[in-house]
């Protein structure tokens, strides 16, 4: 398990990205705070998707929780 940093989060999320791209969506990693908060902007089809909250919580957040030590929460940035 890696320590939380912008690079470690970016690396972990790249494994999740193909699932978003397959459905016409994507994300932009905005910021990773020392407190473990990851700020993400959803792009493409994810912006208007009614399941975007589930994507953040059940997809991205679970992925990071499994791979990144010190991770706390994903916050969507608009």
């Amino acid at each position: 398990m890696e320590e939380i940093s912008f690079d470690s989060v970016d690396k972990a999320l790249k494994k999740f990205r193909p699932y978003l791209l397959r459905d016409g969506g994507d994300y932009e990693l905005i910021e990773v705070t020392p407190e473990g908060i990851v700020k993400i902007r959803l792009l493409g089809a994810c912006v208007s998707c009614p399941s975007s909250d589930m994507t953040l919580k059940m997809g991205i957040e679970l992925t990071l929780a499994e791979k990144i030590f010190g991770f706390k929460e994903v916050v969507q940035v608009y």
Side-chain angles (χ1 to χ4, degrees):
M1 193 172 266
E2 293 190 51
E3 292 282 330
I4 193 159
S5 69
F6 191 92
D7 290 337
S8 66
V9 169
D10 191 42
K11 180 180 168 185
L13 288 179
K14 283 184 179 175
K15 295 176 182 175
F16 187 77
R17 180 172 257 149
Y19 301 107
L20 295 177
L21 292 172
R22 181 183 63 207
D23 292 328
D26 203 357
Y27 70 87
E28 177 183 7
L29 180 58
I30 303 296
E31 181 182 5
V32 177
T33 71
E35 297 78 30
I37 307 299
V38 174
K39 297 180 181 180
I40 290 181
R41 178 177 295 126
L42 293 177
L43 305 170
C46 290
V47 172
S48 60
C49 178
S51 298
S52 62
D53 286 338
M54 289 296 289
T55 297
L56 282 173
K57 296 297 178 184
M58 299 305 293
I60 293 173
E61 202 164 89
L62 284 178
T63 297
L64 294 177
E66 292 174 354
K67 299 184 181 302
I68 306 295
F69 179 77
F71 167 76
K72 300 281 189 261
E73 178 184 20
V74 170
V75 175
Q76 185 173 358
V77 175
Y78 296 95

